[in-house]
DNA sequence: ATGTTCATGAAAATCATTTTCGCACCCTGG
DNA sequence: CCAGGGTGCGAAAATGATTTTCATGAACAT
């Protein structure tokens, strides 16, 4: 559990270039390609460690891909939101209807007596460009 | 891609004993324990293959556990529903509010112009007994 | 019988991820 | 200045779920 990494900025910089979610492996090869000004790129282990920590710290947003891979991107400004993934091009769109979902979740909690409710709502489809 | 398996009934029978979701590994050891009337229990490969096929055929319902394991149980009678998983005891409760969610999904589709929408809504919490 | 099909088990292969381990570095106190 | 503790790092091994490969034998058709 490292507290910070010399690669934080590289990773955050890369993620900042787009709003797409990316997997560890992809981030790793991207950083290796760039080979930022002579420095060695981080090892795969380090990318995993760093992404894990940044996600824990709430800096990164994570999403479980259909294939079982964990994807990351910068947290938006909005406190809580969901994502709509284009199955064809991988583009991700933010979903505005957070309140509607949290209301549903709340009602479900009341229905069932469950506490400490946590939920994830993952949408996928074909974006206008791809369909 | 087998079309059917001599173990279908064993697996379906086991799953029919409870409404809990179970992983392949668990099903495999349960079947091995039972050792139904002298027959050899299925191999792990076969359990995986069979569960995969049954899920494809719509006979089984699947759920992605927080730990990344795929869990299965018999499909209920209702065509579409969601689940609430107790993080402590693994119990799963059915969620009735399907229409509310599909309405939200539909509105999202209209908002964004995405088509072929598919979604999953996974809830977890602590059941009344565990909290 | 001979061939073909096909589910099966065992073991190897994958794939994403985590852990281990030794090393190099940096800092701080002596 | 130097020893010692802490810490990030890379490489490789370990893990764990799942998938694939491959040889086999049973069942069925010709």
């Amino acid at each position: 559990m490292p507290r910070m990494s010399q690669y934080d900025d590289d990773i955050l910089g890369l993620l900042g270039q787009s709003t797409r979610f990316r997997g560890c492996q992809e981030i790793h090869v991207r950083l290796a390609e760039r080979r930022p000004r002579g420095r060695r790129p981080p090892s795969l282990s380090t990318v995993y460690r760093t992404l894990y920590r940044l996600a824990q710290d709430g800096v990164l947003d994570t999403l479980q891909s259909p294939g079982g891979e964990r994807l990351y991107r910068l947290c938006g400004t909005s406190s809580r939101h969901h994502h709509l993934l284009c199955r064809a091009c991988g583009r991700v769109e933010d979903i505005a209807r957070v309140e509607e979902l949290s209301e549903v979740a709340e009602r479900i909690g009341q229905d069932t007596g469950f506490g400490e409710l946590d939920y994830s709502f993952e949408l996928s489809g074909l974006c206008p460009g791809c369909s």
Side-chain angles (χ1 to χ4, degrees), chain A:
Chain A
M1 52 288 261
R3 312 202 199 324
M4 82 158 288
S5 155
Q6 67 180 283
Y7 296 110
D8 281 21
D9 289 345
D10 293 314
I11 291 178
L12 293 173
L14 178 65
L15 290 173
Q17 290 182 347
S18 108
T19 62
R20 277 192 47 238
F21 278 79
R22 326 224 181 190
C24 289
Q25 320 254 356
E26 180 186 348
I27 293 172
H28 177 241
V29 305
R30 289 275 171 285
L31 291 180
E33 285 167 7
R34 288 222 230 141
R35 192 87 55 113
R37 346 153 192 107
R39 287 192 295 130
R40 328 167 74 228
S43 72
L44 189 54
S45 323
T46 298
V47 179
Y48 272 111
R49 279 190 281 241
T50 305
L51 289 172
Y52 178 85
R53 178 172 42 79
L54 290 173
Q56 287 268 306
D57 295 350
V59 180
L60 296 184
D61 221 5
T62 86
L63 166 61
Q64 190 82 4
S65 87
E69 197 181 359
R70 196 136 45 218
L71 307 177
Y72 299 85
R73 77 162 182 191
L74 288 184
C75 264
T77 49
S78 64
S79 54
R80 174 115 204 200
H81 55 281
H82 302 281
H83 312 293
L84 172 52
L85 168 72
C86 175
R87 285 193 294 269
C89 67
R91 189 151 70 86
V92 174
E93 200 131 319
D94 280 323
I95 299 307
R97 310 190 165 269
V98 195
E99 340 67 45
E100 304 180 28
L101 287 172
S102 53
E103 282 166 19
V104 174
E106 184 146 339
R107 267 174 271 153
I108 287 172
Q110 290 169 354
D111 287 358
T112 58
F114 274 54
E116 309 262 339
L117 273 191
D118 190 23
Y119 63 94
S120 78
F121 186 64
E122 314 267 334
L123 278 150
S124 64
L126 296 178
C127 75
C130 291
S131 43

